Amino acid sequence: MLSVNLEDNFFIHSFSTALSLSGSRVAGADPSCCGFGIAAYRKYSSGGGYPNISLSTPLPGIPKPVFASVDGQEKYETKITTLENGLKVASQNKFGQFCTVGILVNSGSRHETKYPSGIAHFLEKLSFSSTAQYGSKDEILLTLEKHGGICDCQTSRYFHSSSGFVCVVWLCAAVQRHHHVCDEEIEMTRMAVRFELEDLNMRPDPEPLLTEMIHAAAYRGNTVGLPRFCPADNVDKIDKNVLHSYLRNYYSPERMVLAGVGIEHEQLVECARKYLLHVKPVWGASSATSVDLSVAQYTGGIIKMEKDMSDVSLGPTPIPELTHIMIGLESCSFLEEDFIPFAVLNMMMGGGGSFSAGGPGKGMFTRLYLNVLNRHHWMYNATSYHHSYEDSGLLCIHASADPRQVREMVEIITREFIQMAGNAGEMELERAKTQLKSMLMMNLESRPVIFEDVGRQVLSTGKRKLPHELCDLISNVTAGDIKRVTTKMLRSKPAVAALGDLTELPSYEHIQAALSSKDGRLPRMYRLFR
């Protein structure tokens, strides 16, 4: 098999050219094979001066380079096969010595309306534990290590994914379909969940906790508003019977995708037929009769958590006491056409921490840097986030500041939301689109990211949009699209999450009034006594 590495080839060629220019000979090699003709080689190897040629001009006598290319679109398209039991098998060709294979299940915390919240969190911790063939998680890890692989499991509001960095479909099948849930492992999982909940409330970075709060405020009591982390009150309520009941309903083949990157599609389909087609799971095979098909209902609202943040980060350079605010508005699902303009808008807002190091692509030209962090030195953080699901979405801004300046900070955020509806500059829009395309392509250099992208798209739509298609959609976004989606977004009720010292926090009604005004300013308050 012929393997060509363009970067290495370029390095060897440059090195050979440098040897020729410096008058050195490569042992056992004809000078002409280093990229120069004989005359050019003798000219510059005789001790004469170096040629005065710019780096962008090809050197004389060098043949035209021939680059490796892929023949036809079929070499990089995603192949999808649906088995007789409804299981989808999707693969993406990717050259290299390693592959990523895993199973994605359309189940997450949003499907726990009829169950105690926290089952998805439990299943994440129970993944890769004992099965009918493997007595413990250690045996599974040792099996993977023999193939030079590792495993991972992630659970979100939308899906559950377990993957291995080797083609061990048999192991994935054993984990997903022959997964034993013994009492000892459940007790160990309870301990792990309690520790993670304790760590969540103690960590100096409040972003995961604020994300939970903003979803609970935006979709109060339904679907994606249900907690992703198991509530402390439910830790002891989840047992083997509850888990098996949930697995029977949601872990059915038609709700699964076996995705692979860097593996031949026919080989992956053959493995799927062998290990996943006629297999009865340990929790019993039955038709899914109680699947929750609820559509996300955006409600808006506010969730506040008074908390002492003065000692969350101790040490030689402690983080000062801060109050964290997150304000969000309803955007759209990732299945709608407006998803791409919202992604560009989110990139245009950007932001980050006030002490971020600069540099190309760092986001120093985004609005939250130019309009917020560069103008208000007391703002510790201002970052835009976009959470999108199959039936709804949420665009929000997270900001942090001293508790005494919370009111001013909230007004700055609401003003930025109002200014989104203004006309975006041509240079600003092009920069955001270029940065979004660059981030997309850089992320897709990683096999785990490709695996998740293939699995998510096939799980939700049954097909996959290729990167060049997404780049074309991004390029077609106009300033009018940004203004249109922003105007639509500003009609929704705000969702607010607040954490820390909330003495100076404006009321929810005042925040809603500011987002309905022309300039984003909060209603003035007059106090007789101070």
Side-chain angles (χ1 to χ4, degrees), residues 50 70 83-84 171 211 216 255 287 314 323 341 363 367 404 441 459 485 488 490 522 530:
Y50 294 120
V70 179
L83 302 186
E84 291 83 349
L171 196 149
T211 301
R255 299 179 64 84
S287 57
L314 303 176
T323 296
R367 288 191 181 184
R404 294 167 294 184
M441 300 308 293
L459 196 65
V485 298
K488 178 182 176 182
L490 287 170
L522 291 166
R530 290 185 178 272

Side-chain angles (χ1 to χ4, degrees), residues 314-326:
L314 303 176
T317 55
I319 297 177
E321 181 181 1
L322 300 171
T323 296
H324 303 273
I325 305 294
M326 191 176 280

Side-chain angles (χ1 to χ4, degrees), residues 239-432:
D239 55 17
K240 186 174 181 177
N241 292 332
V242 173
L243 293 173
H244 276 189
S245 173
Y246 182 86
L247 291 169
R248 274 193 296 271
N249 278 309
Y250 291 98
Y251 277 52
S252 53
E254 63 273 9
R255 299 179 64 84
M256 293 184 181
V257 171
L258 173 64
V261 178
I263 184 173
E264 291 293 335
H265 185 70
E266 291 74 16
Q267 183 183 359
L268 189 63
V269 172
E270 183 182 350
C271 291
R273 289 185 180 279
K274 185 176 181 180
Y275 300 122
L276 291 167
L277 185 55
H278 301 293
V279 178
K280 184 178 179 180
V282 294
W283 52 82
S286 63
S287 57
T289 57
S290 302
V291 173
D292 184 12
L293 301 177
S294 302
V295 177
Q297 301 295 320
Y298 182 86
T299 61
I302 184 170
I303 289 185
K304 300 184 287 186
M305 182 183 293
E306 289 274 359
K307 186 178 180 183
D308 182 9
M309 306 288 286
S310 60
D311 58 351
V312 294
S313 177
L314 303 176
T317 55
I319 297 177
E321 181 181 1
L322 300 171
T323 296
H324 303 273
I325 305 294
M326 191 176 280
I327 299 177
L329 296 170
E330 186 180 18
S331 58
C332 71
S333 79
F334 57 71
L335 300 178
E336 298 179 45
E337 292 183 356
D338 287 342
F339 171 68
I340 298 296
F342 269 115
V344 175
L345 174 62
N346 178 59
M347 191 62 65
M348 192 185 303
M349 298 305 297
S354 59
F355 298 105
S356 296
K362 188 61 179 178
M364 292 298 183
F365 288 95
T366 60
R367 288 191 181 184
L368 292 180
Y369 264 112
L370 291 175
N371 302 342
V372 178
L373 295 173
N374 287 348
R375 297 185 181 182
H376 307 283
H377 65 89
W378 45 269
M379 290 280 284
Y380 192 85
N381 172 59
T383 312
S384 175
Y385 297 96
H386 186 215
H387 306 280
S388 191
Y389 305 96
E390 64 178 358
D391 46 11
S392 186
L394 187 67
L395 190 143
C396 47
I397 297 178
H398 167 211
S400 308
D402 186 275
R404 294 167 294 184
Q405 293 170 303
V406 169
R407 183 178 178 84
E408 187 176 356
M409 174 176 64
V410 170
E411 188 171 76
I412 290 170
I413 298 175
T414 55
R415 203 169 0 181
E416 287 303 312
F417 271 112
I418 296 298
Q419 290 176 359
M420 287 183 194
N423 293 322
E426 181 180 353
M427 183 179 296
E428 178 187 34
L429 181 61
E430 287 303 316
R431 181 185 288 116

Side-chain angles (χ1 to χ4, degrees), residues 128-140 180 182 185:
F128 296 100
S129 56
S130 64
T131 69
Q133 293 77 27
Y134 299 94
S136 66
K137 183 176 183 178
D138 292 338
E139 291 186 25
I140 294 177
H180 281 174
C182 63
E185 287 174 336

